[in-house]
Amino acid sequence: MPHPYRTLADTTVGAIGLGAMPLSIENRPDESRAVATVHAALDAGVTLIDTADSYHWHAGEAGHNERLVARALARYGGDTSGVLVATKGGRGRPGDGSWTVTGTPEHLKRAAEASAMRLGVEAIGLYQLHKPDPAVPWAESVGALRDLLDAGTIRAAGISNVSTAQIRQAHEILGDGLASVQNQYSPAVRDSEPQLRLAAELGLAFLPWSPLGGISRSSLDGPSGPASTGTAFHRVAAEHGVSAQQVALAWLLSRSPAVIPLPGASRPASISDSARASRLELSEAELARLTAPLPDQAG
């Protein structure tokens, strides 16, 4: 059955979100195409946009993606009141291609306040701890989210790149304030199945990042290592006359009602195609074919 809508916290969103990172990192499009990509997402029924303060390319550009998303929403001709912008804090980019992790409560609180200003909102709809900091006790980092909830700086909290134990501990600290888990999960990368099951059990949304792994390259992948071809996803796509990306996203949606994939896009056509996955109907036999490991996963 098609799955056009999902629930995140107390909000109904389109079942496919937009991962906005490619609009601001290496090889990003110019602003007009970036804005057009966000507008195409909205036109296609996407109402969840995922960003982060660390989604930028060069040094000194922190918040580039957040500001871009805010400008795109402001320039959209239609109603954006139902759009949920989710952002993250706790990572940085010095400008040399590397990523840093800073999970101290002081940093996270300052980062959330700065993100709210860049997004132009009184309270961030969903604020996610981007990655656990091994130098900071997990309970302290999550405690900062609790403080941000209590202060009204954020409306809901999420955690990303986490283990099942970290999900359980965050749920104990945040209770109903915890709304989502964002981990890598795709046709090629399925080791977050336990986290997906636990998120569903706890009533949390599960937001796969890089959901097209094995089907198309991530925007941070190098020019080597092309995406797989000739997989079950490609064969089912050919039978339906749609893209393999649509089939991958429809398969992800079938995994659990908790799943809301976040495909990245840097062109309007990409997100328009991805959004159609929420209405793609796959048979039980097709889903069984897709759930078998990809060839390079076998063994």
Side-chain angles (χ1 to χ4, degrees):
M1 289 290 291
H3 312 274
Y5 303 104
R6 292 280 151 109
T7 300
L8 200 168
D10 56 357
T11 304
T12 298
V13 296
I16 302 293
L18 170 65
M21 181 175 75
L23 303 177
S24 290
I25 61 163
E26 289 83 336
N27 304 309
R28 63 195 181 203
D30 62 30
E31 174 140 344
S32 63
R33 195 175 96 190
V35 169
T37 300
V38 175
H39 290 177
L42 300 174
D43 290 342
V46 171
T47 57
L48 172 63
I49 300 176
D50 184 74
T51 180
D53 59 2
S54 57
Y55 289 169
H56 61 91
W57 186 350
H58 307 292
E61 285 190 326
H64 182 282
N65 198 240
E66 293 173 322
R67 287 189 290 267
L68 174 64
V69 168
R71 287 195 298 273
L73 290 173
R75 296 175 192 171
Y76 186 62
D79 180 15
T80 60
S81 61
V83 176
L84 174 61
V85 177
T87 192
K88 309 179 205 68
R91 301 207 76 179
R93 300 204 77 198
D96 60 0
S98 68
W99 295 76
T100 59
V101 182
T102 308
T104 62
E106 298 77 17
H107 172 82
L108 292 171
K109 291 175 187 177
R110 286 195 306 269
E113 290 164 1
S115 289
M117 288 186 64
R118 286 189 290 262
L119 292 171
V121 296
E122 290 185 9
I124 296 170
L126 175 64
Y127 191 71
Q128 303 160 97
L129 180 52
H130 206 152
K131 188 176 185 179
D133 183 344
V136 178
W138 179 237
E140 291 185 15
S141 296
V142 176
L145 298 180
R146 176 76 266 168
D147 292 344
L148 288 165
L149 285 164
D150 292 343
T153 309
I154 68 176
R155 291 199 174 94
I159 50 178
S160 183
N161 300 300
V162 288
S163 67
T164 53
Q166 288 166 332
I167 295 171
R168 290 188 186 281
Q169 189 173 9
H171 190 251
E172 289 173 6
I173 295 168
L174 298 171
D176 291 342
L178 181 63
S180 64
V181 172
Q182 183 173 158
N183 276 20
Q184 186 175 17
Y185 185 61
S186 69
V189 180
R190 306 187 189 185
D191 51 6
S192 280
E193 289 271 4
Q195 290 91 327
L196 166 55
R197 288 193 296 270
L198 178 57
E201 176 187 316
L202 296 174
L204 309 175
F206 184 85
L207 314 177
W209 63 264
S210 202
L212 300 175
I215 305 300
S216 72
R217 288 198 306 274
S218 163
S219 54
L220 280 179
D221 288 343
S224 61
S228 301
T229 57
T231 68
F233 290 87
H234 294 83
R235 289 189 288 274
V236 170
E239 292 161 12
H240 280 266
V242 300
S243 68
Q245 287 87 338
Q246 270 192 55
V247 174
L249 294 169
W251 172 77
L252 284 167
L253 290 173
S254 79
R255 304 301 288 158
S256 167
V259 171
I260 308 171
L262 299 171
S266 60
R267 297 180 299 115
S270 299
I271 189 59
S272 298
D273 180 71
S274 290
R276 287 194 283 274
S278 67
R279 300 184 184 277
L280 177 61
E281 191 159 359
L282 299 173
S283 70
E284 290 300 321
E286 287 170 332
L287 291 172
R289 288 164 61 192
L290 300 172
T291 301
L294 292 182
D296 58 356
Q297 290 181 289

